[in-house]
Amino acid sequence: MTETLLEIDNLSVDYETARGDLKALRDISFDVNRGEIVGIVGESGCGKSTLISAILRLIAPNTRFRNGAIRFKGDDLLTRTEEQMRALRGGDISIVFQDPMQTHNPVITIGKQMVDIQHRVKISKAEKLATAARMLGVVGIPDPEARLKQYPHEFSGGMRQRIAIAMALMSEPDLLIADEPTTALDATLEVQIIERLKDLQRDFGCAILFISHHLGVIAELCDRVVVMYAGAVVESGTVREIFHNPKHPYTRRLIECDPGHIKTRARVLPTIPGEVPDLANLPEGCIFRERCDQAMARCAQVPPLTRLSEGHNAACWLNHAEEIA
Amino acid sequence: MSPILEVKDLQTSFGEVNVLAGVSFAVEQGETYAMVGESGSGKTTVIRAIAGLAPAQAGSVKFDGQEIRGIGERALRPLRKDIAMMFQDPTGSLSPRLTIRNLITEPHKIQGMKNRDLDAEAKRLLELVNLPAHFADRYPYQLSGGQARRVGVARALALEPKLILADEPTAGLDVSVQGELLNLLNDLRERLGLSMVIITHNLNVVRHVADRMGILYLGRLVEEGTTEAIFHEPRHPYTNCLLSANPEPDPDARLDRIALKGEPPSLIRRPSGCEFRDRCPMASDVCSQVPQWKVTNGHGVRCLTPRHL
Ligand SMILES: Nc1ncnc2c1ncn2[C@@H]1O[C@H](COP(=O)(O)OP(=O)(O)OP(=O)(O)O)[C@@H](O)[C@H]1O
Ligand SMILES: Nc1ncnc2c1ncn2[C@@H]1O[C@H](COP(=O)(O)OP(=O)(O)OP(=O)(O)O)[C@@H](O)[C@H]1O
Ligand SMILES: [Mg+2]
Ligand SMILES: [Mg+2]
């Protein structure tokens, strides 16, 4: 039976700025079920990191929650105290940040950091160090015992990412949130890490919310995909539906732009012409209208996110053909 | 014509640990050279050492014919205009207290070009990387990861360098913005003869931008050649594993992956013989000998039993 673990319900979040409120997230809704791997893709700056910092309430001071709920195991996280949130982070929910330096304290050795995050476990320090060394081995870092004595800057970019992943896995969370955790990993290691994450899902029933721009990794790892554009969800569906039967023009264009599809050297790579709308000055109607090559009169109104088939939703008037006719 | 960048037998150790064990390669003017390889193999260290930002105990680095290894920051400063870095960590490489305007015009100030219209410059540079002009007033923490990456690119392009050392310049960008950036770099290369060393783990990017590429393993090049040749006829088994691992953007793709055995080896106790042999799917008894660098038809490989030869 599927059981909802995380439920994002009509979430809207603004950033207060000198130019007015920047509407970073607008009416975001989607679920993550227990043991499920959900990918989030979308344009740079569309609000992916804002979304996960909102879930964990690790937010910039100018963040304002405007509407909606974030339910984890049925409880609304927005009503929880800061102390309760702290207990949740690194317990039931783990996070791998986009910037690994957000995880690592630059003046503390990696070994001490990895021992410290085991503060809930009642074992000796030596045992904690052994666990830490074993986890470094799991993510492919050689000479783990010697490495534990080093500081973050003494590791390569990809090593820091892998250590952040190792640390997130140590608490065996129910939900792992990973924000572009493999950007600095070569293809062979990336595949190994994907396999580790799949093991984790299988062995502990851990659900994963996985943000990535690498469509190949999304295709390989995820069960379902949420596509975001300029602060809104424009489509969501199973990984097959999203890659083989996309129902929003943005999704379609995004997949077409992936150089992974283009096997011979191209002098000019495909892009989506035009600019992302200014979130402090939202245009009327469909958010993608100005860049959409299929835009029509109807797009002056915001299309609702509509269910097209079981589990496949899209926000585009093109899917309402019968109403147009 | 001599190459714009010529690196010979570059060696770097951190304490006891020998990270670069002699790296040699050259980049011609107008050429894009991709450096790929396992995480931790020394890619960042190579370009930081070239730019004088990491130690290099031995070897030679020539920029435009001039030796620059170990010449010190004072002698390097005038060259910083010609050699630009794009750092692997986008947010961490931007000082948090400066506005984006100050960050991307900082190179002008360092080079004593304060009399230029810096506001106009900031605007021009933001436009180049497709960010709105009002971003000039923001601070780094108010940017998304990909936006910070683009600010790093704008800053590197500020003074129209001759050589760019780009460490994962498209990591964290969506495929459309990544395409824009690569098109921009290609355009600068054609118009201004820009040369580039690009480190990326994204093989799809390599295929589209690089003329030649080198594959680094444990601080040594194990293969080098034209991008064409390496994608079509990889000679080193490590290259072959790497190319076969590239995830395909299709959930139903069937991949013939060649598994890489074992763990990345220790730098403290480097393996004997061929350093790849413990993980190599093709290893045989001969691999207990140290392979020499062997070049045929401009395609170099460090392997005793190379493929396609
Ligand atoms: N503290 C802040 N104040 C004002 N605007 C902000 C702040 N943080 C982020 N933004 C803006 O909010 C938008 C969403 O940012 P976010 O970091 O969530 O994007 P993202 O989808 O994670 O992008 P990327 O893929 O580039 O990491 C961006 O346009 C960004 O510039
Ligand atoms: N300042 C330093 N002190 C000690 N060791 C270092 C230092 N900088 C790098 N190293 C070590 O040198 C090796 C190579 O690191 P480098 O950052 O060059 O790798 P890389 O190929 O860029 O990897 P990635 O793809 O993960 O970024 C690693 O083992 C790293 O831990
Ligand atoms: Mg982000
Ligand atoms: Mg690196």
Side-chain angles (χ1 to χ4, degrees):
Chain A
M1 206 198 79
T2 58
E3 183 192 336
T4 310
L5 183 67
L6 176 73
E7 193 183 348
I8 311 287
D9 186 4
N10 261 302
L11 184 69
S12 294
V13 173
D14 293 356
Y15 286 116
E16 267 179 9
T17 74
R19 299 175 54 252
D21 285 357
L22 195 144
K23 304 206 166 353
L25 296 176
R26 299 180 313 283
D27 294 326
I28 304 281
S29 295
F30 68 90
D31 296 345
V32 178
N33 294 324
R34 230 173 234 287
E36 189 182 34
I37 306 186
V38 176
I40 304 185
V41 299
E43 183 124 11
S44 165
C46 71
K48 303 178 294 297
S49 299
T50 304
L51 174 65
I52 64 168
S53 50
I55 295 173
L56 293 157
R57 214 185 306 154
L58 291 170
I59 48 176
N62 59 336
T63 311
R64 300 288 172 266
F65 286 93
R66 296 300 187 205
N67 188 33
I70 302 168
R71 282 184 281 274
F72 181 70
K73 298 183 181 173
D75 280 352
D76 188 353
L77 296 187
L78 294 179
T79 61
R80 290 213 179 177
T81 64
E82 182 46 43
E83 200 179 334
Q84 290 171 319
M85 286 307 292
R86 213 171 306 136
L88 198 65
R89 299 191 287 256
D92 285 354
I93 306 182
S94 280
I95 167 123
V96 182
F97 289 104
Q98 183 166 15
D99 176 3
M101 289 316 267
Q102 236 177 302
T103 306
H104 304 316
N105 186 328
V107 297
I108 301 179
T109 63
I110 286 297
K112 176 151 174 31
Q113 296 187 43
M114 293 183 80
V115 166
D116 287 350
I117 60 161
Q118 300 175 64
H119 61 92
R120 289 191 182 86
V121 195
K122 299 272 168 283
I123 52 173
S124 72
K125 176 151 181 253
E127 285 169 304
K128 288 181 183 176
L129 270 171
T131 306
R134 188 176 51 77
M135 287 309 290
L136 288 188
V138 167
V139 293
I141 294 185
D143 306 316
E145 280 86 11
R147 285 289 188 165
L148 286 174
K149 301 194 186 85
Q150 292 189 307
Y151 292 89
H153 77 269
E154 297 177 283
F155 292 85
S156 78
M159 286 173 169
R160 284 198 289 264
Q161 263 186 347
R162 285 179 279 150
I163 295 169
I165 293 172
M167 287 170 71
L169 300 186
M170 283 170 88
S171 65
E172 294 175 8
D174 290 328
L175 175 65
L176 172 71
I177 300 181
D179 195 352
E180 303 200 48
T182 60
T183 49
L185 301 187
D186 57 278
T188 50
L189 261 172
E190 191 165 41
V191 168
Q192 272 177 39
I193 295 288
I194 292 175
E195 292 307 322
R196 284 296 91 72
L197 293 177
K198 284 187 167 166
D199 291 347
L200 183 77
Q201 177 203 30
R202 214 176 25 241
D203 300 347
F204 306 106
C206 169
I208 304 176
L209 188 58
F210 190 91
I211 297 179
S212 179
H213 289 299
H214 196 325
L215 299 178
V217 174
I218 294 281
E220 191 152 324
L221 177 69
C222 298
D223 304 312
R224 275 194 311 126
V225 182
V226 174
V227 184
M228 288 178 63
Y229 181 78
V233 172
V234 294
E235 183 163 1
S236 66
T238 64
V239 66
R240 277 201 181 73
E241 275 162 324
I242 295 294
F243 279 89
H244 293 324
N245 186 25
K247 287 292 186 191
H248 194 284
Y250 173 66
T251 314
R252 221 172 287 144
R253 294 307 305 271
L254 188 72
I255 293 171
E256 281 165 13
C257 284
D258 188 348
H261 288 301
I262 310 163
K263 299 292 179 200
T264 53
R265 184 171 181 173
R267 283 174 53 79
V268 179
L269 288 167
T271 59
I272 305 174
E275 269 148 52
V276 201
D278 181 356
L279 297 178
N281 244 315
L282 286 174
E284 299 273 301
C286 169
I287 191 79
F288 190 57
R289 172 159 70 134
E290 280 169 33
R291 300 175 81 183
C292 183
D293 52 13
Q294 288 167 283
M296 49 192 173
R298 184 92 189 260
C299 306
Q301 281 160 332
V302 179
L305 189 66
T306 328
R307 182 174 170 277
L308 305 175
S309 62
E310 180 59 36
H312 192 178
N313 304 290
C316 176
W317 291 120
L318 288 170
N319 302 313
H320 299 247
E322 68 295 343
E323 296 166 42
I324 298 168
Chain B
M1 206 177 73
S2 70
I4 183 110
L5 176 71
E6 193 172 16
V7 177
K8 274 205 181 128
D9 204 27
L10 191 66
Q11 307 214 22
T12 293
S13 297
F14 293 104
E16 309 278 87
V17 185
N18 177 222
V19 169
L20 300 182
V23 174
S24 306
F25 67 101
V27 182
E28 301 294 331
Q29 162 155 12
E31 187 178 48
T32 299
Y33 186 98
M35 180 91 71
V36 302
E38 191 160 52
S39 167
S41 59
K43 304 178 296 295
T44 298
T45 307
V46 168
I47 63 165
R48 290 183 71 94
I50 292 171
L53 302 172
Q57 286 84 2
S60 147
V61 177
K62 283 191 178 147
F63 174 71
D64 229 353
Q66 180 194 349
E67 179 63 50
I68 59 169
R69 182 182 74 85
I71 61 171
E73 184 52 38
R74 277 233 339 221
L76 269 175
R77 186 158 315 141
L79 293 174
R80 296 244 176 261
K81 179 180 168 312
D82 295 329
I83 307 177
M85 283 282 281
M86 295 179 190
F87 293 95
Q88 182 169 10
D89 169 12
T91 325
S93 60
L94 304 174
S95 348
R97 273 178 287 276
L98 294 183
T99 60
I100 303 308
R101 173 182 296 101
N102 285 326
L103 277 167
I104 57 183
T105 54
E106 210 181 20
H108 295 85
K109 291 173 200 152
I110 293 170
Q111 295 293 337
M113 299 186 204
K114 290 195 187 109
N115 48 357
R116 279 210 208 168
D117 182 351
L118 295 186
D119 273 351
E121 274 297 290
K123 195 157 171 266
R124 175 183 75 88
L125 289 164
L126 284 172
E127 210 172 288
L128 210 55
V129 294
N130 214 353
L131 289 175
H134 64 77
F135 270 53
D137 296 320
R138 288 203 190 181
Y139 290 91
Y141 81 91
Q142 298 169 318
L143 302 182
S144 79
Q147 290 163 348
R149 171 81 60 198
R150 280 180 276 168
V151 167
V153 170
R155 192 181 141 101
L157 296 177
L159 300 177
E160 299 193 342
K162 293 184 183 145
L163 174 68
I164 289 185
L165 305 171
D167 201 348
E168 302 277 5
T170 65
L173 300 181
D174 64 85
V175 286
S176 169
V177 173
Q178 168 177 286
E180 282 169 15
L181 176 66
L182 296 176
N183 292 343
L184 169 69
L185 293 176
N186 264 335
D187 180 54
L188 293 175
R189 170 163 70 163
E190 273 166 28
R191 283 194 300 118
L192 308 173
L194 181 75
S195 316
M196 191 158 51
V197 179
I198 177 170
I199 295 176
T200 174
H201 82 101
N202 189 334
L203 296 169
N204 302 326
V205 167
V206 174
R207 177 154 44 201
H208 292 294
V209 300
D211 304 302
R212 285 192 308 128
M213 63 191 285
I215 290 100
L216 205 62
Y217 187 79
L218 223 58
R220 256 188 257 274
L221 282 178
V222 294
E223 183 161 1
E224 184 192 69
T226 64
T227 306
E228 259 304 283
I230 290 186
F231 271 88
H232 287 111
E233 298 197 322
R235 291 181 181 174
H236 199 286
Y238 174 66
T239 312
N240 208 33
C241 293
L242 195 64
L243 297 179
S244 78
N246 198 18
E248 288 288 324
D250 174 356
D252 295 324
R254 298 211 179 177
L255 304 172
D256 292 319
R257 287 214 168 107
I258 305 155
L260 192 57
K261 292 187 291 180
E263 303 297 320
S266 161
L267 282 168
I268 305 173
R269 277 163 275 107
R270 283 176 170 271
S272 66
C274 170
E275 294 185 327
F276 186 58
R277 75 176 152 143
D278 291 341
R279 302 170 78 191
C280 182
M282 331 257 291
S284 65
D285 290 347
V286 295
C287 304
S288 59
Q289 291 162 46
V290 177
Q292 299 302 312
W293 183 246
K294 198 161 57 193
V295 184
T296 24
N297 299 329
H299 189 158
V301 66
R302 193 186 301 281
C303 176
L304 290 153
T305 54
R307 307 167 70 246
H308 298 293
L309 254 186

